[in-house]
Structures are given as structure tokens and as C-alpha cells.
Amino acid sequence: MFVKSRGEHASKHVLPKNLALLLCFASFCAGMFFSNRTWMVPDAKGIPWTSRTGGKQFVDYDRNIVLKNEGNNSGDISGSQHSILTMDKAISDLEIKLMASRAERETIQKDPMMSEGVKNIESTLKRKYFMVIGINTAFSSHKRRDSVRATWMPQAEKRKKLEEETGIIIRFVIGHSSTSGGILDKAIEAEEKVHGDFLRLQHVEGYLELSAKTKTYFATAVSLWDAEFYVKVDDDIHVNLATLGVTLARHSKKPRVYIGCMKSGPVLARKGVKYHEPEYWKFGEVGNKYFRHATGQLYAISKDLATYIFINQKLVQLLNEALVLVVRCMCSNRSSNFINLLVPPVIIVMLCLRNVLHKYANEDVSLGAWFIGLDVEHVDDRRLCCGTPPDCEWKAQAGNICAASFDWRCSGICRSVERIMEVHERCGEDKNALWSANFVQTIRTSS
């Protein structure tokens, strides 16, 4: 058998070197000639490319990426891509709102009537008031409100004059019923249309929720009106506004003032009794008394204390909104790693701050507890808690007119609807006292 060597076989099939180079160069030239795309950058428009998720993406002439998913839902988009798209949409929405706001402002400036109305609103917001009086009331207290309107609370033009000339704001304070838009809320709305003297709170009414209502009232009032004092009054109390104003004006230059009739009542541990304190064990042995606090019929706090309550209330609301937003993002299966990192600290802060201002069973105790650890001056003034006639009448005859009158045994005027007019006639201050009182000198209007 004849077998050729490997070297002999290879040598017979090897092309000359010059011929190989010539063939390569000819192939290159033919390729350029037929393709006609020498040194041209491919146009990206309409050219699909596959992403990591398997969907196709197209690039338009402006280099804006448009997502096209084939057989996949939006949940297939990565967390980072979704976050970017969400942010872009939010920025676009804000730009649209900003343009609309500018257009609306230009329209208002061109319209003299609308422009004047806006100026009035701005001047009201910049106004410095002396005191805001919130009269705590309930859905069932329509007759009580009417009795207050008929006695010590100015109505209609007089109430407007009171606000403009003396800087005193008076409103009945009430929240909403458990069934929003129900018959109780509609009754208050109808009453508001007639009198226009309500302050509606974002709060669900209930006797056991008075501490929460008090906190919401102060937070709401300080956000609406810039005043030196914020007062809470029950709707079965008689008040002499001028005397109350003069009393508070003595403390207008002091920081962190808490004014009322200070008391220290017993902590009621037995269930079923009125004013029962479920957390009685916090106050020591059975039979102990509460710390000093103002009685709940009427008390006043300075602006810095009301702001302290507002900050706490607002912070908790913001944290609640943040937590809801985070939970929604997580439930939508679109949360990014950044959102997931936010969850633990948000929940921890919520748990820490939810009850910074702890609420006890009785709202006056709760208010006193909120200030117990602060550098607050407690002012005990007995003119804020006089008895009904003959007590307040005798004091008025002696020249010591009471700022507020009620019956201790009833925690208000007993049968106030029938008797408050009698108290007003026998213990009320002069009709012109409100317009000539010295405290009006403390009212300032910011420029």
C-alpha cells in the first residue's frame, strides 16, 4: 500500500501567498460596492432590541425609549425602570399644574374683582389675631348652641366686627359622624349655612374621643389663624368676652403659658363611674390624685404651645401618609429596592411617634399631661371658673366680674338651655365693655 506523507499532501493544496492576498482584497471591495453602506452609522429608528425581561424596546428619532412588551404585563418591568417612569410622570404632572397655576394667576390679576378677593384672603391670612375661641359642641347640642348665640356670642355683623376690630375669632367646634355625609352631618351643614360659625374638624365625634378632638382642634386652629391665645370652651358655659380678653392679655408677653382653673381631682379606678380612668395604675396607689391641670370647662394656651401640638399632629399625619404610600407600592409589585429600604425606618418611626402625646380618658387630663414635662407656666385664675348666681352676681356687684361661670356639680351650667340667659343677665358684663377693653391694644397687624 502506498501512503503519502502529511507534508506531501499539504504542499499540493496550498495557494500562493500573493494570490490569497489578492482574493481577500477583491472580496472586501465587492462587499463595499454591493452594500453601499461604507462608513454610515445605522439609524436606530425602528430597530428593535431585546431587554433583560424579554420585551422589545424601540428608539424613536428623539432617542426617547418606548416600551413594547409582548405577552408580558407591567409587572415584568424592573423596579428601577418603573421608578424612573413614575418620577418622569410626576415631574410632567407638576409642570402641567405649574403652568395652569401661572395661567390662573395671570387671569386673576387681569380681573379686578377676583384680584380684590384674593387680596382680602391674603390679608386675612396675614392678620394677627388676639385669641381664637373654640366652643366644643356635639350633634345633639343644637339648642345649646342657640342659647349661646342668644347670650354671649355675637352674631352676624357684630361677630365680623369682633374679628376685624378686636381680633377675636369664635367658632363652634365639631367633627364628623361615623357615617360620613349622613343626616347628622347634613344637619350641621344646614346650620352652618344659616350662621356660618362652625369649625369642622377631620375627626369622628364620640365622647371617648374628646382628647383626640382637643388635639385636632388646637392643631387646626393654629394652622388657620395666627393668634396669641387659643381657648377651648364647653357649650354650656357662660363667658364674658371682655373680661376673658383682659385676663389673657396680662400674660401676652410670656412664653408657653397654660391658663385655667387648676385642679387635682381624684383618679377614679372603679369601672362604670363617670370620668373613670382606665390607666389609673399609672398614678400610683388607689385613691391618688391627678397632677395639676386646668379644668375642662374653659382653658387657654399660648401660641407656642398650640404650635407644639400642631407639629406633633402634623408629623403623625405625614408619617401615616408615607406609610400608606409605601404599602401601596409594595402591594403593587412595583416597589424598587429603594422603597423596600424605606419600609423598616418608616414603620419604626410610626411606632415611636404615634402616641407621643398620649391621650387619657379625660381631655383636660390629657392636655395637662402633654405639658407636664415642658417648661410651661401654669396660671391658676379663679375668674375662669365662677359659680352661677348668686356667686358670680355678688362678684360682679363688688367689681370683680367673672370671665366664665358654671355649676361645678354639673360640669357646666345645670339645664344651661333654660338658665344661661338668667346667668347672662345677672352676671354679664357691660355691653360696651368688649369694644373698649384694654386688651385691644395688644392686637397687631403684620404688614
Side-chain angles (χ1 to χ4, degrees):
M1 179 182 297
F2 177 78
V3 180
K4 294 182 178 180
S5 67
R6 183 176 181 181
E8 295 175 347
H9 179 78
S11 63
K12 292 182 179 180
H13 292 82
V14 173
L15 292 174
K17 183 177 181 181
N18 294 335
L19 181 60
L21 293 174
L22 181 61
L23 288 174
C24 290
F25 181 74
S27 299
F28 175 74
C29 292
M32 291 190 297
F33 177 79
F34 289 107
S35 64
N36 195 27
R37 297 184 65 86
T38 307
W39 302 110
M40 293 183 64
V41 179
D43 188 5
K45 182 177 180 180
I47 299 178
W49 56 281
T50 305
S51 67
R52 292 181 300 172
T53 60
K56 290 185 178 180
Q57 298 185 353
F58 295 85
V59 184
D60 63 10
Y61 62 91
D62 287 327
R63 305 294 182 187
N64 293 324
I65 296 176
V66 180
L67 298 178
K68 299 287 186 180
N69 292 316
E70 295 180 351
N72 296 327
N73 56 26
S74 59
D76 294 331
I77 303 174
S78 66
S80 60
Q81 290 174 335
H82 180 267
S83 299
I84 293 172
L85 292 176
T86 303
M87 186 177 295
D88 288 341
K89 184 178 184 303
I91 293 173
S92 300
D93 292 341
L94 288 175
E95 289 176 346
I96 294 173
K97 291 180 180 179
L98 180 60
M99 292 175 63
S101 178
R102 287 175 177 172
E104 183 180 0
R105 182 176 181 181
E106 291 176 359
T107 303
I108 291 175
Q109 290 176 346
K110 293 177 181 179
D111 190 332
M113 295 183 64
M114 296 179 66
S115 179
E116 186 65 25
V118 171
K119 290 180 180 179
N120 291 335
I121 293 174
E122 291 178 349
S123 63
T124 300
L125 294 176
K126 293 180 181 179
R127 172 73 185 273
K128 177 73 176 181
Y129 294 92
F130 178 64
M131 63 177 172
V132 176
I133 301 176
I135 307 173
N136 182 41
T137 190
F139 289 110
S140 59
S141 300
H142 178 76
K143 292 183 177 180
R144 283 187 178 183
R145 291 191 290 272
D146 284 343
S147 66
V148 170
R149 294 183 181 113
T151 52
W152 61 268
M153 180 180 179
Q155 293 298 294
E157 292 301 320
K158 288 186 177 181
R159 182 165 61 85
K160 184 178 180 180
K161 179 182 179 182
L162 184 70
E163 296 177 2
E164 295 176 350
E165 296 186 7
T166 65
I168 298 177
I169 303 291
I170 308 177
R171 295 290 188 274
F172 287 105
V173 179
I174 194 167
H176 298 270
S177 65
S178 55
T179 55
S180 181
I183 188 172
L184 296 177
D185 290 313
K186 290 181 179 178
I188 294 297
E189 291 170 3
E191 193 173 344
E192 166 68 10
K193 290 181 180 179
V194 176
H195 299 284
D197 54 6
F198 280 93
L199 172 60
R200 301 300 299 273
L201 305 178
Q202 292 299 321
H203 167 80
V204 178
E205 286 291 322
Y207 182 77
L208 298 178
E209 299 296 328
L210 286 179
S211 294
K213 183 178 181 179
T214 300
K215 182 167 70 170
T216 304
Y217 157 62
F218 282 121
T220 304
V222 79
S223 66
L224 292 176
W225 299 288
D226 180 12
E228 294 190 32
F229 294 99
Y230 298 84
V231 185
K232 178 262 178 181
V233 185
D234 286 342
D235 61 3
D236 55 353
I237 305 298
H238 180 266
V239 178
N240 284 318
L241 291 174
T243 306
L244 175 63
V246 171
T247 301
L248 298 183
R250 295 191 179 99
H251 309 282
S252 61
K253 302 301 181 182
K254 300 178 181 178
R256 299 179 300 282
V257 182
Y258 174 34
I259 307 171
C261 288
M262 300 296 164
K263 67 174 185 177
S264 179
V267 180
L268 302 179
R270 187 161 62 90
K271 293 183 179 180
V273 300
K274 191 175 182 181
Y275 307 127
H276 164 64
E277 178 56 73
E279 298 180 88
Y280 62 90
W281 58 274
K282 290 185 177 180
F283 299 92
E285 300 298 329
V286 176
N288 280 1
K289 293 184 177 182
Y290 287 112
F291 41 79
R292 288 284 174 182
H293 61 277
T295 185
Q297 286 79 7
L298 186 151
Y299 47 73
I301 60 176
S302 56
K303 179 185 176 180
D304 40 14
L305 294 182
T307 303
Y308 167 74
I309 297 174
F310 166 77
I311 292 173
N312 175 270
Q313 179 89 343
K314 194 65 177 178
L315 181 60
V316 172
Q317 289 177 356
L318 291 175
L319 288 172
N320 278 326
E321 294 173 0
L323 184 60
V324 170
L325 180 61
V326 170
V327 171
R328 285 179 178 175
C329 290
M330 294 180 64
C331 293
S332 64
N333 294 323
R334 300 178 182 179
S335 59
S336 64
N337 293 332
F338 177 72
I339 295 294
N340 292 331
L341 290 174
L342 279 179
V343 176
V346 169
I347 293 178
I348 291 173
V349 174
M350 279 293 300
L351 293 176
C352 293
L353 295 180
R354 181 176 293 274
N355 291 318
V356 167
L357 296 185
H358 184 69
K359 299 183 290 293
Y360 289 98
N362 302 302
E363 51 94 10
D364 53 354
V365 174
S366 296
L367 186 71
W370 299 340
F371 303 149
I372 198 69
L374 303 180
D375 185 12
V376 175
E377 179 181 355
H378 290 58
V379 177
D380 182 20
D381 197 319
R382 292 291 141 177
R383 284 174 296 182
L384 302 178
C385 54
C386 295
T388 56
D391 180 53
C392 60
E393 186 177 20
W394 291 341
K395 292 176 179 177
Q397 292 174 354
N400 298 319
I401 299 176
C402 296
S405 303
F406 58 90
D407 297 308
W408 281 100
R409 69 180 187 276
C410 298
S411 298
I413 299 176
C414 299
R415 305 191 318 278
S416 64
V417 174
E418 294 83 11
R419 296 185 58 236
I420 194 170
M421 181 59 74
E422 174 194 356
V423 177
H424 182 66
E425 292 174 349
R426 297 173 64 179
C427 302
E429 59 197 0
D430 186 85
K431 294 181 179 180
N432 297 321
L434 185 59
W435 314 107
S436 59
N438 292 331
F439 70 86
V440 298
Q441 298 177 359
T442 66
I443 306 299
R444 296 185 305 275
T445 303
S446 60
S447 57

